[in-house]
Amino acid sequence: MNVHDVIQRPLITEKSNMAREEVNVVTFAVDPRANKHEIRSAVETLFDVQVLDVRTLVQPRKKRRVGRFLGTKPQWKKAIVRLAEGQSIEFFEGV
């Protein structure tokens, strides 16, 4: 699997921003087929950082209703990556 296909997008939420500042943890939405080794190598290659730990979880499908129609939001995979001390990933460098 290509490194650019593994990591889909960073998750920028209030909780992930607090974790990034306090514990040096970055959160990504990743390909559901990717394993921890592929996620680790993709983050190290793309952002040139040292990864200490990777935790993954699969977010379940959620039911959604639009008017009288029922549907579901898709299931997706989240990766929580802990970086080495003194290293960071800045998503908004120019701001």
Side-chain angles (χ1 to χ4, degrees):
M1 189 177 292
N2 187 2
V3 230
H4 296 283
D5 295 335
V6 173
I7 296 178
Q8 295 174 345
R9 67 183 183 278
L11 295 178
I12 309 296
T13 62
E14 187 175 349
K15 185 175 182 178
S16 68
N17 282 338
M18 287 180 8
R20 185 165 42 107
E21 292 170 0
E22 295 173 5
V23 205
N24 207 18
V25 167
V26 184
T27 309
F28 295 101
V30 296
D31 190 293
R33 299 167 294 176
N35 59 30
K36 292 182 181 186
H37 300 290
E38 292 172 339
I39 295 168
R40 174 190 295 261
S41 66
V43 171
E44 287 178 345
T45 304
L46 290 175
F47 300 106
D48 194 31
V49 294
Q50 182 183 1
V51 174
L52 297 179
D53 185 33
V54 176
R55 292 177 291 166
T56 60
L57 58 126
V58 177
Q59 296 287 357
R61 299 186 198 294
K62 292 184 178 180
K63 292 184 181 179
R64 290 292 180 249
R65 180 183 196 109
V66 178
R68 64 184 179 121
F69 301 104
L70 290 175
T72 58
K73 291 181 75 174
Q75 162 178 323
W76 58 284
K77 190 171 190 176
K78 181 192 295 190
I80 302 169
V81 178
R82 187 165 57 114
L83 303 177
E85 188 69 32
Q87 296 189 350
S88 65
I89 297 174
E90 294 298 326
F91 297 113
F92 304 109
E93 293 178 9
V95 178

